[in-house]
Amino acid sequence: MYDTSLTRQSLPDERLRMLIGTALVVFNANVQFLIENFLSNEANTEENWWTLMESEAGSIFGKTKENFVRKNHQDIVDLFNGLKNRRNRIIHSFQFSHEDSSQGIATLVRKTHEQFEIDETYLLTFIRDNGKLNDLLHEFRGY
């Protein structure tokens, strides 16, 4: 569906690249904050910071979701799960050429084989939703 051959202009524009980097940084910061919240509120865990930080986001989700549900924060579970899935689309994206030869990135949803472009709107929404998760994690922590 998308032409993945590289042209003379081999990278997406600088703004898109900056948004991709920002998206990954804010997600990673929230993963760290989620782990901190989990460890400070779960007395009966054998998990530790180092092991969790080396885990994939899906594994962290599986290990922490029960704690947040038990403490009446299904909102954190739902938002983190959605962000994890959208982050995976960014990580597993591929580069393609628009008809004008400018570069973009797109993704393929494994289960449905749906392809879509990861554009500025997708990334800005992802960053904004990470802000919402950060607010929920602060609220959970008691700030």
Side-chain angles (χ1 to χ4, degrees), residues 30-126:
N30 273 336
V31 168
Q32 293 169 13
F33 196 22
L34 183 112
I35 290 169
E36 288 175 21
N37 275 302
F38 169 71
L39 291 174
S40 67
N41 285 286
E42 184 58 60
N44 298 325
T45 186
E46 294 180 20
E47 300 293 340
N48 64 61
W49 168 262
W50 304 109
T51 302
L52 287 171
M53 280 304 298
E54 288 296 317
S55 299
E56 296 174 341
S59 177
I60 293 167
F61 174 72
K63 292 175 182 180
T64 62
K65 72 179 180 179
E66 184 180 314
N67 173 266
F68 289 104
V69 170
R70 202 172 48 246
K71 301 205 184 244
N72 296 318
H73 277 277
Q74 183 68 43
D75 51 352
I76 291 173
V77 171
D78 293 341
L79 188 51
F80 181 70
N81 190 44
L83 287 167
K84 170 186 64 71
N85 292 336
R86 288 190 280 166
R87 190 284 315 251
N88 288 347
R89 299 293 24 101
I90 297 167
I91 293 296
H92 298 290
S93 63
F94 57 90
Q95 194 168 326
F96 74 96
S97 298
H98 290 280
E99 293 210 6
D100 67 359
S101 296
S102 64
Q103 298 295 297
I105 61 169
T107 190
L108 171 68
V109 179
R110 185 179 354 178
K111 292 181 180 177
T112 65
H113 302 287
E114 171 196 8
Q115 291 185 22
F116 62 89
E117 184 173 359
I118 295 176
D119 59 8
E120 186 172 316
T121 301
Y122 183 96
L123 294 166
L124 288 171
T125 302
F126 180 82

Side-chain angles (χ1 to χ4, degrees), residues 22-31 79-80 83-84 86-87 123-137:
T22 301
L24 296 177
V25 168
V26 297
F27 180 81
N28 289 346
N30 273 336
V31 168
L79 188 51
F80 181 70
L83 287 167
K84 170 186 64 71
R86 288 190 280 166
R87 190 284 315 251
L123 294 166
L124 288 171
T125 302
F126 180 82
I127 292 164
R128 184 197 69 225
D129 290 348
N130 267 280
K132 291 177 185 176
L133 178 60
N134 190 269
D135 290 345
L136 290 172
L137 290 168

Side-chain angles (χ1 to χ4, degrees), residues 14-24 120 123-124 127:
E14 188 174 350
R15 177 156 171 82
L16 188 64
R17 294 190 323 263
M18 182 270 306
L19 287 172
I20 292 167
T22 301
L24 296 177
E120 186 172 316
L123 294 166
L124 288 171
I127 292 164

